[in-house]
Amino acid sequence: MAQHSTHPGGASRVRRRALLGTAVLAVLVALAGLAAYLTREGRSPSDPASPPPSSPTASSSTASSSTAAPSGPHTRPRALPVPPKTHDPITYGKAAAAALWSYDTRAYAQPELRKALRGWLTTESKYADPASVDQAVPSAVLWKEMAANKQVATAKINEGHFPHAFTQALQDDPGAITQAYVYAVTVSGKQSIRWKGSAAGGAESRSTTLAVQCRPNHSCALVGVMPSVAP
């Protein structure tokens, strides 16, 4: 749990963490009183806020741009992640997960990556949870050790979808999305890691649930990373 802070702005950070925690509860248990964070199904295709159905291959072009095959010791350094311009929360969620699971210690410093990932966040401070994004970045001490080994991580996204509890809550209250337009998106994939002198590196399956804001007529933005994965 978040600790109380005596620094200016500490209380606001605690409130933002609590706000995202409220969103998590809304997604997982579909509480009607937290409907501002719930999304809706059944809109017509012409509705600009309606996300298209998801599949393992749907909207893969955006996510694939940041999910190349694992980098070897002679591959070109990777650029810092840049958020896509899209109105589809699943497309955005997949791209955000790929960005969170990827890094290149040869190309930039840890503070640069953290700043770049914060650039994915919504500008609405009421909803943005930068602390949850910072936690996805290796610590400065660990980054120094990884940089000494020229460690690189890449991500391959398998699929993204709206969690079941999220869509069920939406069916219960179809108009709930119209306050915050915050969607829950669960993404699964694989993170591959290589380092100096490694022949094959290592890989592991990854999954995460993200909160993504997609207001009508605005590109999507990240709200935060949820502390648990919603199926």
Side-chain angles (χ1 to χ4, degrees):
M1 296 180 59
Q3 297 180 347
H4 293 289
S5 173
T6 56
H7 296 287
S12 63
R13 287 194 297 270
V14 171
R15 283 195 295 270
R16 284 198 295 272
R17 293 292 294 168
L19 190 61
L20 187 64
T22 300
V24 174
L25 290 176
V27 171
L28 297 180
V29 300
L31 296 177
L34 303 176
Y37 288 95
L38 306 180
T39 187
R40 61 185 300 180
E41 291 182 319
R43 297 183 186 223
S44 65
S46 60
D47 190 325
S50 176
S54 174
S55 69
T57 58
S59 305
S60 60
S61 59
T62 301
S64 296
S65 64
S66 56
T67 58
S71 298
H74 302 297
T75 43
R76 184 166 35 182
R78 299 170 62 85
L80 287 164
V82 177
K85 299 295 184 181
T86 178
H87 300 283
D88 179 356
I90 292 178
T91 297
Y92 194 91
K94 291 164 71 175
L100 291 167
W101 297 341
S102 304
Y103 57 80
D104 190 342
T105 63
R106 307 165 304 172
Y108 40 75
Q110 187 255 21
E112 293 177 296
L113 176 59
R114 186 173 60 183
K115 180 179 179 181
L117 291 174
R118 282 196 173 203
W120 289 60
L121 289 164
T122 175
T123 57
E124 297 182 42
S125 59
K126 177 180 179 180
Y127 301 112
D129 182 25
S132 68
V133 173
D134 290 347
Q135 289 174 1
V137 180
S139 68
V141 173
L142 180 57
W143 186 276
K144 184 177 180 180
E145 296 176 359
M146 295 191 307
N149 291 319
K150 302 185 184 303
Q151 189 162 310
V152 180
T154 55
K156 179 179 180 181
I157 302 302
N158 294 331
E159 67 90 34
H161 66 273
F162 296 127
H164 173 72
F166 190 83
T167 54
Q168 182 60 54
L170 180 51
Q171 292 174 359
D172 295 340
D173 189 354
I177 191 64
T178 56
Q179 177 178 336
Y181 284 93
V182 173
Y183 300 78
V185 179
T186 295
V187 182
S188 64
K190 180 174 289 187
Q191 182 189 55
S192 298
I193 300 176
R194 290 205 179 196
W195 54 91
K196 179 179 62 177
S198 67
E204 66 175 356
S205 296
R206 299 291 300 270
S207 60
T208 187
T209 300
L210 307 172
V212 176
Q213 185 180 53
C214 296
R215 290 195 180 277
N217 304 318
H218 290 80
S219 295
C220 295
L222 185 63
V223 170
V225 183
M226 294 186 178
S228 59
V229 178

